[in-house]
Amino acid sequence: MEFDWPTFFECAACGAAVPTASVAYDDLGYPLCPECGARTGPLASLDAAEAVEGGVAD
């Protein structure tokens, strides 16, 4: 009898752990968190920098 281990995606931004079947991917193939919409991969730091630029300090 075989057992299939479920795989999960864990978001680094919000900490959500969701089954990989419910995770969407961007055009470059990097996962997008279904809970908070955060992107992972090499461009994730650019998203974070853009979010800070338009922050409360303005």
Side-chain angles (χ1 to χ4, degrees), residues 27-57:
D27 294 336
L28 297 174
Y30 294 105
L32 303 168
C33 178
E35 297 289 323
C36 70
R39 177 172 39 171
T40 60
L43 300 178
S45 60
L46 295 177
D47 288 344
E50 290 173 3
V52 172
E53 288 176 4
V56 178

Side-chain angles (χ1 to χ4, degrees), residues 3 9 11 14 18 20-22 24 26 32 35-36 38-42 47 50-51 57:
F3 179 78
F9 165 78
C11 179
C14 70
V18 294
T20 55
S22 63
D26 67 6
L32 303 168
E35 297 289 323
C36 70
R39 177 172 39 171
T40 60
D47 288 344
E50 290 173 3

